[in-house]
Amino acid sequence: MAPIQVAPLFSLAAPDDVEEETSDVALLHRISVELIGEQNLSELYSKIVAAAVTITQSQFGTRQRLCPCGDPSGHGGELQLLAHCNLPPEAVVFWQWVSPGAHSSCTMALRFGQRAVIPDYELWDEISGTPDLEAFRQAGIRSAQTTPLLSRSGKLLGMISTHWAVPHEPSPRDLRLLDILARLAADLLDRTIADEELRKLNETLEVRIEERSRELLAAENQVRQMQKMEAIGQLTGGVAHDFNNLLTIIRSSAELLGRRELPRDRQQKYIDAISETADRAAKLTGQLLAFARRQALRPEIFNAVARVEAVADMLRTVVGARVELVVTSEGEGCCVEVDASQFETALVNLAVNARDAMNGEGRIEIAIVPADGVPARRGDAAAKGDYVKVSVIDAGSGIPPEELERIFEPFFTTKEVGKGTGLGLSQVYGFTKQSGGEIDVVTDVGQGTMFSLYLRRVTALDEKGAKVAESRIDAAAASILIVEDNDQVGEFASQLLGDLGFVTQRAANALEAITILEMDHDNVDIIFSDVVMPGMNGVELGRQIRARWPDKTVVLTSGYSHALAQDSGHGFPLLHKPYSVEELSRILREAAA
């Protein structure tokens, strides 16, 4: 910032007004009015210099500030000229920045922390022969005084200097008035500088808030991403661990079955081991899909009270004789439309969880009641609606707050190694959410926990008059079109169905299947199609076939499909992979009926 050139603003009165206007009080009053009314910082600098020149009747005046150490300008620790009165241009350039080691009244004041007076530069031995003395001579300056501007807290705000063209020493009156001016100027500068900083702060506040918000959002997203990666890592590690265990059994059993000398009973033992391990693997993938809400559910309408009472004996066997399991219910019409098998699995998982929380001994209550809404939960507002509330209540150890947020994560468990998979509650969560319901947990450490499933309540169906359709096709002679894009799976299915007595042909995708039907639909009885295929999926193929050839039967098969998870009401028989020979035979013979 270039120094400001100013002219004296305060003049002494004419002789006829000497009695009033030459009064020091009147002069200070005029100065105070001018300074207090100035809000602009640069103009305030100018008026302070003008006031000092007026008080001391000097020919020159300057206002300087101490540049803080480490200032980006590179002049840290030096005095910067901010405003001046009557200095020639070359002097302004010379004193734009003054080093603390220079020779002047301002550096003397800076060095000793108090006012400095130089009555005659020509008589000051220290300055003799220096560029500083030559600069004073060229500017026409012979003497000077500098008064520091100190804030109430003692902070140095700058300097006021006045200079004379002749040897001069300020009078006690001048020094007294300069002290008053310095006190007033320091207070005003302190206030004005604070106001200026506040104004700049307010101008940038919105920008800084936006920047800070972006930083916080980025940090939050980073933390969330790290949590996701940790959860994915935990999920992947858990799946890999469990599947490696299952694959070890299958591989070892297959190798042992290759030995010719193996007795028949031992062969059957290894065959059973492979079959049982495949069932366990299917159950594991089913639990994962349930958590991910990607399982193909088979919703049906049933009375929740009746279904819980029907499986109560099985649940009592699961939890053991030392646990008392009771079923209570209130109200009528507690019908829901969900997958019955998954509903029972959820009850088993909750009951086992409750038993373990009580160390295998205590009381578990399963309560079924109508509910007119879902209460507010962590992060979710309350919701009105018609629900059936199924609660599993235990008197166990409860769940600590730091673990409550993670209980539904797959493979998260607080049980000892080998005592739990960490998939039970994740299955309950996924099944409930995919069924359009909600889940709530109320827990008290040391007192117990209540898990509540809120399932949509529906009207019961009239089950009277159910009629079994007569068989339209001779199952033994049925012709089946297999639609499968995987050659190995398609070939295996053809061999399997051939061994079961069916006549088969294959299509690699949905468009090829439609072409075959357009050419020879009379010789096709059942379409057995995979769901996940390139282009048109199995559900879309089934709907096209239903629209164009309504007499044809479509059976779908899949291990996982997003389309099936989102559309459980497609209306086609579904065979889950992996399937057994008996399951395949049964569903196709039922479809042929």
Side-chain angles (χ1 to χ4, degrees), residues 515-531:
T515 301
I516 293 173
L517 289 171
E518 288 175 339
M519 297 173 58
D520 194 22
H521 63 270
D522 289 335
N523 291 321
V524 176
D525 300 314
I526 300 173
I527 295 88
F528 181 55
S529 175
D530 190 19
V531 175

Side-chain angles (χ1 to χ4, degrees), residues 482-496:
I482 301 171
V483 188
E484 173 61 65
D485 62 306
N486 186 294
D487 289 337
Q488 289 182 323
V489 176
E491 184 64 29
F492 182 77
S494 294
Q495 294 177 2
L496 196 59

